[in-house]
Amino acid sequence: SLCPSIYYRAIKPNDLDRLEQIHRDIFPIKYESEFFQSVVNGVDIISWAAVDRSRPDDHSDELIGFITAKFVLAKDSELADGFCLAQIDDLVHYDSSKGEETLIYILTLGVVETYRNRGIARSLISEVINYASGLSVCRGVYLHVIAHNNAAICLYKRLMFRCVRRLHGFYLIKRQHFDAFLFVYFINGS
Ligand code: ACO
């Protein structure tokens, strides 16, 4: 087969089916259709896709990886002491004129199995960090990861995210609780 030629672009409405399919295939958590609608329409969510341009025509623009994220209000006091969990799930509409400090919360990140270990997840995270770094009001990028997901944990450590908390029973999957780690990447002098 041809040498992959990975390209990063915005997620579009016609990515909907493929985006849902990959989420179903690789995550243990079920995401609602409202979530996917928000992603593909760019409503309150920012996202990037990876595609392989070297694939045959009808697949050359098909998602092979993605990252989705949202803005969350940051408060100085909570940042000084890690995070206040009551605050970080509040979705905020980004408005730089308000001068409010924000964080970016990564919701989902995935690469289809056959394209793993080629630096695609690293590039997708870089897209988010570069974007966040360009916003003077953005203090950092953070996320949750289930405690047994070694690949993802290695990835975030490698990319200089800092693990700031272990949250007991954070995820409920098939009536079983699992711990999560909270990872943060601080930017703009935070
Ligand atoms: N084991 C150990 N380290 C790994 C692994 C692994 N399996 N995969 C990635 N890494 C680390 C390595 O340090 C690697 O850098 P290096 O090759 O220079 O050593 C670095 O991460 C970058 O790896 P990438 O090639 O960019 O990662 P990839 O494109 O393979 O995607 C991902 C990694 C997203 C975790 C992929 O395995 C995946 O989609 N898994 C299933 C879904 C998932 O777990 N998503 C993250 C959940 S958390 C969340 O969504 C917020």
Side-chain angles (χ1 to χ4, degrees), residues 130-170:
N130 289 344
Y131 175 78
S133 303
L135 305 170
S136 58
V137 292
C138 189
R139 304 285 303 272
V141 177
Y142 73 105
L143 56 90
H144 291 106
V145 57
I146 201 160
H148 59 248
N149 188 345
N150 292 325
I153 289 165
C154 288
L155 168 73
Y156 301 131
K157 286 184 174 164
R158 181 98 172 167
L159 299 186
M160 308 306 283
F161 278 72
R162 273 195 277 162
C163 184
V164 298
R165 295 255 169 101
R166 184 181 183 118
L167 302 161
H168 293 277
F170 182 83

Side-chain angles (χ1 to χ4, degrees), residues 26-27 106-111 115-122 143-145 149-152 154-156 158:
I26 68 178
F27 292 119
I106 295 177
L107 294 158
T108 62
L109 164 68
V111 174
Y115 281 91
R116 288 184 190 164
N117 302 310
R118 300 164 184 246
I120 294 174
R122 177 197 293 271
L143 56 90
H144 291 106
V145 57
N149 188 345
N150 292 325
C154 288
L155 168 73
Y156 301 131
R158 181 98 172 167

